Amino acid sequence: NALCTPIETTQIVIASELMEEALKLNQLFYENTGISITREFLPVKPIYVDRINTLQILVNLIKNSIESLLVSSNKNKQIRLC
């Protein structure tokens, strides 16, 4: 039965592209907050991961970082992705 067939989400991805996608999904959340995002991606080999689950993890980590900075008294509000 086609409805019972699991969807394959494990695939080869480029980590920096996945990170950029996670940033885009959080963009409305951090726009106009004074939080700066620094990207320091090094070239790495593509990785084989569950793309959907990994993207959700990255989105949550970035969102948690943004939420922490929004309530922080620290004036230098920066997220460094590497």
Side-chain angles (χ1 to χ4, degrees), residues 16-59:
S16 60
E17 290 176 4
L18 203 58
M19 188 69 81
E20 288 293 345
E21 190 172 346
L23 282 169
K24 284 180 188 173
L25 291 169
N26 273 303
Q27 187 171 358
L28 290 176
F29 192 59
Y30 72 83
E31 273 185 339
N32 303 316
T33 61
I35 296 172
S36 67
I37 307 289
T38 303
R39 296 162 177 84
E40 298 178 7
F41 303 135
L42 298 175
V44 295
K45 293 180 182 180
I47 54 177
Y48 188 71
V49 296
D50 182 319
R51 186 185 174 287
I52 293 172
N53 286 339
T54 305
L55 182 59
Q56 185 63 54
I57 291 166
L58 292 172
V59 166

